[in-house]
Amino acid sequence: MSKLALQENSVAIGNQLKAEILIQGTRPLLWNHLQPSESFGKRQERGGTPGNDPTEWQRNVLITEDRQLYLLPTHIFGCFRDAAKYTKRGRSSLMSQMASTLQVQDRRIYIDRYLPEEPIRASEDIEQEVYIFMSVVKNIATRGHNIRYRVAAAAGWRCSFILLWDKTIISRQEMETVAIDAGKLVGLADGRSIGYGRFEVLNFCVQNAVT
């Protein structure tokens, strides 16, 4: 590598900031993650009846071998990218800049909740830390109604993650503003359009990234 390239790389590293963020859910967190497999898209045996499959949640949840719930870095990335549109810069917003520089360092974002072996099925007013959230949705194609089953962590869930970005593109103050907006206005995982997955930022600690 040339001397000029090394200098440019050093400058880029020096511009990078790292934020350790701790959040707490103010609304239930729902899972609906479609996991790729060789059988995806093929006809398979289903439980229940058309529009009402009580086993649906088993295919859409993210859990470890010891049944701890987690999210993927793409959940965090998408949340912050969408929240950046609320922070204005001139006549535009930070959305494109956020997408260009944001990195989520964690491979998995662990939630402080575990899925029971036999979770209870109920609506969101149940007093359980983790349960199967049932909701009725309208089927536009048939004009009928379907029942959806999602693993849910009740409000109060917590997780932490680490973000990396270039401070010459987005300042630390702008990133903190986006983090707050992400919790108040966007949310994480499924059901965001109807207010699920919302959170508050408990800790936002920024430092220079170390190689």
Side-chain angles (χ1 to χ4, degrees):
M1 184 179 293
S2 67
K3 183 177 181 180
L4 178 60
L6 286 171
Q7 289 176 340
E8 290 177 345
N9 186 52
S10 178
V11 170
I13 293 173
N15 288 338
Q16 197 169 59
L17 292 177
K18 178 174 74 172
E20 297 181 8
I21 304 174
L22 173 65
I23 63 175
Q24 177 172 285
T26 57
R27 294 280 284 142
L29 183 64
L30 308 182
W31 275 261
N32 183 28
H33 179 72
L34 297 177
Q35 304 184 55
S37 67
E38 293 183 357
S39 61
F40 186 81
K42 298 179 180 179
R43 290 184 176 274
Q44 300 179 56
E45 182 179 356
R46 292 286 188 263
T49 59
N52 182 11
D53 182 2
T55 66
E56 178 184 21
W57 62 270
Q58 298 175 8
R59 301 186 296 274
N60 300 339
V61 67
L62 294 168
I63 56 173
T64 63
E65 291 184 357
D66 61 352
R67 304 185 72 80
Q68 183 173 10
L69 295 162
Y70 68 90
L71 297 174
L72 296 174
T74 49
H75 289 109
I76 304 296
F77 183 93
C79 175
F80 275 68
R81 179 202 59 207
D82 293 349
K85 68 182 178 184
Y86 297 106
T87 301
K88 300 299 180 183
R89 179 182 286 176
R91 295 183 179 181
S92 186
S93 71
L94 290 180
M95 194 170 187
S96 61
Q97 290 90 340
M98 183 66 68
S100 70
T101 189
L102 182 65
Q103 300 176 57
V104 183
Q105 191 173 69
D106 311 77
R107 187 174 68 89
R108 290 179 174 180
I109 295 87
Y110 294 99
I111 309 298
D112 64 340
R113 301 287 174 86
Y114 291 78
L115 179 65
E117 291 288 346
E118 297 183 6
I120 296 174
R121 299 173 187 169
S123 59
E124 68 176 270
D125 59 353
I126 189 173
E127 294 184 359
Q128 295 286 330
E129 287 194 343
V130 178
Y131 57 97
I132 305 304
F133 174 65
M134 300 173 61
S135 64
V136 178
V137 298
K138 187 174 182 178
N139 188 321
I140 299 176
T142 64
R143 297 186 179 180
H145 291 83
N146 296 342
I147 298 180
R148 289 287 174 256
Y149 299 84
R150 303 282 185 262
V151 170
W157 53 268
R158 288 189 178 191
C159 68
S160 61
F161 49 89
I162 296 174
L163 301 182
L164 299 172
W165 75 95
D166 190 322
K167 66 183 179 182
T168 66
I169 298 176
I170 295 179
S171 70
R172 65 186 68 199
Q173 292 80 13
E174 288 174 327
M175 186 61 76
E176 185 169 9
T177 296
V178 170
I180 294 171
D181 286 345
K184 289 183 177 180
L185 306 174
V186 181
L188 284 167
D190 196 35
R192 296 187 300 167
S193 63
I194 52 175
Y196 291 101
R198 301 296 172 88
F199 58 86
E200 60 181 344
V201 178
L202 299 182
N203 187 45
F204 187 93
C205 181
V206 181
Q207 59 187 22
N208 290 326
V210 178
T211 56

